[in-house]
Amino acid sequence: MSSCLSLRLLPPLTPSFISPSPGAGATPWDLGGPTPIILHLSETGSLPKGRTLVPGCGTGYDVVAMACPDRQVVGLDISKTVVEQSSKV
């Protein structure tokens, strides 16, 4: 019997893989501000009201851009480094 399912195990994530090393400065996923489409949707009122979860939120620019009195936004990230940096946003 043949199966269509194929599994591949990946090595576990380590803090050095997840978090940039101090002083490295290379964080291509961090735009230094909200994602342009998120900012546009927020400014035009196109995002739905209510609760929103942003997994992998990084430093939280999108979380801040989406938050408003009618929208509760929670950001989650597993990187201790970016969570600490998010308090500066």
Side-chain angles (χ1 to χ4, degrees), residues 2-89:
S2 164
S3 173
C4 296
L5 179 63
S6 174
L7 297 177
R8 187 176 108 199
L9 296 178
L10 299 175
L13 298 177
T14 61
S16 62
F17 176 79
I18 298 166
S19 302
S21 56
T27 54
W29 59 86
D30 188 349
L31 302 176
T35 306
I37 189 65
I38 295 294
L39 189 58
H40 171 75
L41 292 172
S42 183
E43 289 174 346
T44 59
S46 300
L47 292 173
K49 307 294 184 218
R51 295 186 220 168
T52 303
L53 174 65
V54 184
C57 67
T59 49
Y61 293 109
D62 289 344
V63 173
V64 172
M66 289 189 284
C68 69
D70 296 327
R71 188 178 309 107
Q72 179 185 4
V73 184
V74 175
L76 299 173
D77 205 293
I78 61 173
S79 170
K80 182 180 178 182
T81 304
V82 295
V83 169
E84 290 170 353
Q85 290 173 350
S86 69
S87 65
K88 300 174 187 172
V89 172

